[in-house]
Amino acid sequence: MSRISFRRSSLTAVLAVGALALSLSACSSSGGTASDKATAASPAMSAAASPDQVMDQPFGAACAAVPKDGAGSFSGMAKDTVATAASNNPLLSTLVTAVKQAGLVDTLNSAQHITVFAPTNDAFAKIPKATLDAVLADKDTLTKILTYHVIPDRLAPTALAGTHKTLQGGDVNVTGSGEDFTVNGNAKVLCGNVQTANATVYIVDTALMPAS
């Protein structure tokens, strides 16, 4: 009896080993090993945007008003230098008029690696019409105001907060973080981190005024 029992035990062990081998073979041919599955999943994981990549995108409520395609879209503006790019954005037509009036189109388009705070049309509408007309007619004053909106350094959102020297010579102070920034205590960034060929643009709801 003991020999029969031993033979049955041996046969059972052989069958178990064979079943295990077949099971492993099936897994290999259908689903792959755990390592293979991880490798297959890695392209999808690498496609996910990192926090840095997210911060590379424009942000803010007013970004929805930017055209989805064409020269005035984010992708279109990225191909042009800043004054040209602004001329294609319907939010900035008053600013473009002021830049042309001051003769700063070539200056801004030829500058390298700058940051521009760009007041919207509504920002200029806050200024009394008589005052705005007077400023537009005074090239020296207009130039000082417009160059006060330009920083000779290309600032990403992560470097925006702080005090920065402008082309006009005065300082602007930016507070905030993430997607919430205020310039000089009263100008809110409505759409930030807009890229042009030579500048990073932050669209603001109030025109900045240098100290007199």
Side-chain angles (χ1 to χ4, degrees):
M1 291 292 292
S2 60
R3 289 183 179 179
I4 295 173
S5 176
F6 175 76
R7 288 176 181 175
R8 287 179 179 175
S9 298
S10 300
L11 179 60
T12 300
V14 170
L15 291 174
V17 170
L20 178 60
L22 288 174
S23 176
L24 290 175
S25 176
C27 287
S28 176
S29 62
S30 61
T33 65
S35 176
D36 290 338
K37 290 179 180 179
T39 301
S42 62
M45 293 172 64
S46 63
S50 69
D52 288 340
Q53 288 173 321
V54 172
M55 287 303 294
D56 283 342
Q57 304 301 314
F59 62 83
C63 292
V66 174
K68 295 293 186 277
D69 50 38
S73 66
F74 292 127
S75 59
M77 292 177 69
K79 299 174 184 176
D80 293 322
T81 48
V82 64
T84 302
S87 70
N88 294 317
N89 189 314
L91 297 176
L92 306 175
S93 57
T94 305
L95 173 62
V96 171
T97 297
V99 169
K100 290 179 178 178
Q101 195 79 3
L104 291 174
V105 172
D106 291 340
T107 299
L108 293 177
N109 278 344
S110 62
Q112 296 298 313
H113 309 302
I114 59 176
T115 296
V116 176
F117 295 107
T120 63
N121 297 338
D122 289 342
F124 282 103
K126 293 179 181 181
I127 303 171
K129 186 177 185 305
T131 302
L132 180 58
D133 289 344
V135 170
L136 290 173
D138 185 341
K139 186 174 180 178
D140 288 342
T141 299
L142 183 59
T143 298
K144 289 177 182 178
I145 292 173
L146 292 176
T147 54
Y148 184 65
H149 288 74
V150 182
I151 297 171
D153 190 14
R154 194 160 188 163
L155 300 176
T158 52
L160 190 61
T163 300
H164 309 284
K165 185 73 69 178
T166 68
L167 286 183
Q168 180 266 345
D171 293 335
V172 294
N173 181 257
V174 183
T175 56
S177 62
E179 298 184 359
D180 183 13
F181 294 97
T182 302
V183 187
N184 285 356
N186 66 340
K188 296 289 293 183
V189 173
L190 300 178
C191 181
N193 203 34
V194 178
Q195 300 301 315
T196 75
N198 67 325
T200 297
V201 178
Y202 294 88
I203 298 173
V204 294
D205 68 353
T206 303
L208 309 178
M209 295 296 173
S212 56

